[in-house]
Structure formats: structure tokens, C-alpha cells
Amino acid sequence: MQPPSSSSRERLVLTGRAGWMGMGRGAGRSALGFWPTLAFLLCSFPAATSSCKILKCNSEFWSATSGSHAPAAEDAPEFCAALRTYALCTRRTARTCRGDLAYHSAVHGIEDLMSQHNCSKDGPTSQPRLRTLPPAGDSQERSDSPEICHYEKSFHKHAAAPNYTHCGLFGDPHLRTFTDRFQTCKVQGAWPLIDNNYLNVQVTNTPVLPGSAATATSKLTIIFKNFQECVDQKVYQAEMDELPAAFIDGSKNGGDKHGANSLKITEKVSGQHVEIQAKYIGTTIVVRQVGRYLTFAIRMPEEVVNAVEDRDSQGLYLCLRGCPLNQQIDFQAVRAQAEGPSARRPAAASPTPEAPETFPYETAVAKCKEKLPVEDLYYQACVFDLLTTGDVNFTLAAYYALEDVKMLHSNKDKLHLYERTRELPRGVAAAARPLGPQPLLSLLMLLSLLPVFC
């Protein structure tokens, strides 16, 4: 029996430019084919059903065979036992994972690795090993992180304080970009929110109701890339009814490096509110579950936001560029239609098809006013969501989104937005950026673009 090569145990790594890469230390061809595919699928496709537990299987195997838990070269039987445990876990969740691409990729990857290491399908299995907390004084408990692991100290030691920006996604879904543009989008399926040299964030949005175009965030994946002596690569993943207070490997900080405490997860409210502090890049992330769906908010320095190797390739980076024009919904038009004399719901041909059991306009307004007394875009988004979904939890989603803005936004004069922005076609976007609070200038610009839209 061949001992397992180190390539089969090395965890995934990311590079700033290439995105998903294979395992390090000279990984074998079959391993290079399995893990990058699996990792891509984990972030790109929603689970076939909320009961599919393939992520749990992946996490347990990864925890058992990476880092300090990796079997030594002479421990081939132990590695094979871990593979058999992994295979058993996938079989137990097979019925609920039909059609899930991450599940099928994992199954094929297990077969590939068992063949590569000459493991038999029959034999002992092992209990997945949970990551144990280090003893007091270990690197995970140190507070004396290197200066480079504190963004404000290292990057701005002799300069002015950094300019912080905010991006948020909530509700049906509504997007506030780093440049304070506010949009309502369809964006069904998997979409990247952030993709820079330090961080990847991707969301998956699924329909709220059958027969409706209303979608909401059902899955969130955040990847913190390996950074100098500060943090190891860490992956955080949340789904509907599963808001963990740890990374997928079971840890709550940046790993075993000296500056590991510069990345921390804190559970504010069990199952409802998690905060992630990444001090080495000056970033704070808030993830909530409100009702069945997730909300996302981030505070990040402008320098980190723009840390991309090829800015022109960031066209689908929603927090930076906004939603594509063909994915945007004019929720104010829907509201105007709802409050009109006939107060009819949108027809099926409109951007928001008729959905059963939604609130009447007057009721939606009353419920949103209770939590959002200022009639800004968060209030309007709340009314829109109740009109399209009938789910009163979307009132709280808008409320908490605004509360996160109050905590994370650096400019207190921009907490409330009143004028919705619509992304312009790429050919004219450069001329229009940034969209400032100058109604006359904006109106003249839109008038000049009428031939483009007609």
C-alpha cells in the first residue's frame, strides 16, 4: 500500500490573480483535479436542498487530513480510514443531495484518491478529528501580533487614517455598493460580491416564493486568503438555518501563525448574528440570519477594496461595480404601481411577477414604519419586499441592514440614502462615476443617454 503523499493532505490555497488553485507541495494530477473543482463548486452552486450535508462531510475530512492533523507518510492506513469515513458520510446524505454538483464532485474525488493511494473500500473507518484549542500561550492565544498584522499600524504608520467604505446586501436582495449606490437586483444563483487580493465573498440567491421573481440570499461563502505571518487561508460558510460561529475547519481565528488573532469570529447572537474581524486588512464583516435568509455587511479600507491585479476583470464584483443593468429592478416603480388608484399587484410580464399571499400596500407601509421611521431607501426596500414576498421578516432584514450601516459606515452624513441609483452601460459608466448627490447633473446626464437606451 502506498503511503499518502503530502499533496493529498495539503489544504487549498488561493492566489490573488488566478483564483482557485490546486493543493501545494507538488500535488498529484488526480488530486489537482479533485480539490479545485470541489472548492469551486462549494462556492458556485447552491445545495440541491437545505438538508444536503455535503459541506459537513467535506469539512470533517478536511479537518482530519490537513494541518497538524495530517497523517504522517507512514500512516497510509490512517489516511485510507479517513477516506472511507468521508465516503460513508457522502453515502448517508446521498438521498438529499441528488443533483448537487458539489456532492457528485466529492464522490468522484474520493474514488480518485482511494485509487491513487491504493485504499480498499472495505476496512476500518475513523471518527473525524475536531480541531483542538491550543494550550495557553500558543500562537492562537497571543495578543502580541506582528505590526504588519494590524492594518492601521502597518499600512498607515506615517499617513492619515485610512478611508473606510461599506457594502451591504439584504432582503430581496438590495445592494449598497462601496460607492454608496443603492440597487435592487434579481441576481438569482451564485454571484461574487468581493474579489480582491485578500478576500473573496460569494453569495447564492434563491427564489423566495414559487411564481415570483423575488430572491433572497440563502448561502454565503467568505474566503480569507493566506497572508504573510498573519493568517492561514480560512473559509467561512453560512447557509439557511446554519450560521456557524467558526470557520469550516472548526477554528475561530487565523490559524497557527504568530498573527492568528488578527482574524477572529465572534458570535453575537447564537444562530442569528456573527461578526468577523480581520484586523490585518482593517476589515469588519457582519453576517446575520433574519427569518430564513442571510444578510451581509462589510467595512473595508478603500485601499483594500481596490487591491485587484486587473481592475477591468472585476465586472461582476457586485460591491464594487453594482449589479449588471439587466439584473436591476426599479422597486420604486413597483411601489408607485402598488399605491396607485387600482392598487393592483404587478402583472406577470413585469420585473416582479405576482406572488401569492403578499401584503396590501397600506399594511406593508404600516409594518415598515414601525421599524424604519425615516422614509429613506431602506424603508422603501422594506415596503417593496413585503409587497413581493409577504414575509414580515424582511422588515427586520431592512432594519438590521440600516443598523449595520450605522455601525460600519465611516461617513455619518451618508447613513440614509434617498435617491436610488441605476447602473449605466459599461461604455458610459466611466463618464458617470462617481454618482454624486447632484440631481440636476444626474438628470442632464441621463437625458444625454436617452439615445443609448432607445
Side-chain angles (χ1 to χ4, degrees), residues 49-54 93 96-97:
T49 67
S50 59
S51 57
C52 178
K53 300 300 181 184
I54 189 61
T93 193
T96 57
C97 290

Side-chain angles (χ1 to χ4, degrees), residues 42 45 71 81 123 147 161 166 183 191 204 215 248 281 285 295 300 314 341 349 351 357 373 377 426 439:
L42 284 176
F45 298 96
E147 188 173 273
H166 162 74
Q183 299 168 343
W191 290 80
T204 299
T215 61
I248 65 172
I281 52 174
I285 297 174
T295 70
M300 179 179 281
Q314 301 296 309
E357 299 181 5
L377 290 177
R426 181 168 293 183

Side-chain angles (χ1 to χ4, degrees), residues 169-175 182-188 205-209 212-217 293-295 323 327-329 331 334 351-353 355 358 380-391 393-395 397-398:
L169 188 77
F170 69 97
D172 182 13
H174 308 283
L175 172 71
F182 195 97
Q183 299 168 343
T184 298
C185 311
K186 303 173 190 175
V187 290
Q188 182 172 336
N205 302 312
T206 54
V208 174
L209 292 168
S212 171
T215 61
T217 301
Y293 299 101
L294 305 173
T295 70
C323 298
Q327 293 292 319
Q328 294 181 36
I329 297 173
F331 74 76
V334 173
T352 53
T358 56
Q380 294 181 35
C382 172
V383 173
F384 173 85
D385 288 352
L386 294 190
L387 291 175
T388 56
T389 69
D391 185 347
N393 287 305
F394 281 88
T395 303

Side-chain angles (χ1 to χ4, degrees), residues 182-448:
F182 195 97
Q183 299 168 343
T184 298
C185 311
K186 303 173 190 175
V187 290
Q188 182 172 336
W191 290 80
L193 282 182
I194 298 172
D195 183 12
N196 60 40
N197 294 345
Y198 306 99
L199 186 70
N200 292 93
V201 181
Q202 185 154 307
V203 294
T204 299
N205 302 312
T206 54
V208 174
L209 292 168
S212 171
T215 61
T217 301
S218 58
K219 182 177 178 181
L220 172 72
T221 302
I222 307 172
I223 301 170
F224 297 89
K225 301 178 184 180
N226 189 323
F227 183 71
Q228 300 188 21
E229 67 256 46
C230 303
V231 299
D232 297 321
Q233 179 190 298
K234 292 290 178 176
V235 179
Y236 179 80
Q237 196 156 61
E239 297 185 71
M240 289 192 301
D241 302 319
E242 188 173 349
L243 188 68
F247 297 108
I248 65 172
D249 64 358
S251 65
K252 293 192 175 186
N253 69 356
D256 299 319
K257 293 184 177 180
H258 188 62
N261 265 358
S262 62
L263 176 63
K264 275 186 175 182
I265 293 182
T266 304
E267 186 176 57
K268 298 293 187 177
V269 180
S270 178
Q272 297 180 33
H273 181 187
V274 166
E275 185 175 302
I276 305 175
Q277 291 279 353
K279 291 184 179 179
Y280 66 101
I281 52 174
T283 295
T284 301
I285 297 174
V286 175
V287 182
R288 299 178 187 266
Q289 174 161 319
V290 185
R292 298 183 60 215
Y293 299 101
L294 305 173
T295 70
F296 170 84
I298 188 169
R299 181 179 189 256
M300 179 179 281
E302 196 172 57
E303 182 180 28
V304 178
V305 169
N306 295 314
V308 293
E309 295 189 17
D310 184 3
R311 190 177 179 89
D312 291 337
S313 70
Q314 301 296 309
L316 293 180
Y317 174 172
L318 300 186
C319 276
L320 185 64
R321 295 291 182 89
C323 298
L325 188 62
N326 64 357
Q327 293 292 319
Q328 294 181 36
I329 297 173
D330 188 350
F331 74 76
Q332 289 171 323
V334 173
R335 176 189 173 185
Q337 185 177 9
E339 64 181 326
S342 59
R344 291 184 303 172
R345 292 177 185 159
S350 71
T352 53
E354 182 176 354
E357 299 181 5
T358 56
F359 287 100
Y361 174 73
E362 294 77 9
T363 305
V365 165
K367 288 187 176 295
C368 292
K369 270 286 189 180
E370 291 176 7
K371 284 291 185 181
L372 299 157
V374 178
E375 293 190 19
D376 61 0
L377 290 177
Y378 289 88
Y379 162 81
Q380 294 181 35
C382 172
V383 173
F384 173 85
D385 288 352
L386 294 190
L387 291 175
T388 56
T389 69
D391 185 347
V392 73
N393 287 305
F394 281 88
T395 303
L396 288 175
Y399 168 78
Y400 284 124
L402 183 57
E403 290 299 299
D404 291 338
V405 172
K406 293 176 182 178
M407 180 180 72
L408 300 175
H409 205 294
S410 59
N411 188 342
K412 302 308 177 186
D413 294 330
K414 290 187 177 181
L415 299 183
H416 298 281
L417 297 177
Y418 297 92
E419 183 179 346
R420 176 184 174 274
T421 49
R422 185 170 175 84
E423 182 75 9
L424 297 174
R426 181 168 293 183
V428 296
R433 217 180 300 140
L435 294 174
Q438 304 177 38
L440 179 59
L441 179 61
S442 300
L443 177 60
L444 291 173
M445 189 172 293
L446 288 173
L447 289 174
S448 70

Side-chain angles (χ1 to χ4, degrees), residues 86-103:
Y86 190 13
L88 178 62
C89 185
T90 61
R91 287 196 295 273
R92 286 173 176 168
T93 193
R95 185 177 61 84
T96 57
C97 290
R98 290 174 183 170
D100 185 73
L101 295 181
Y103 164 78

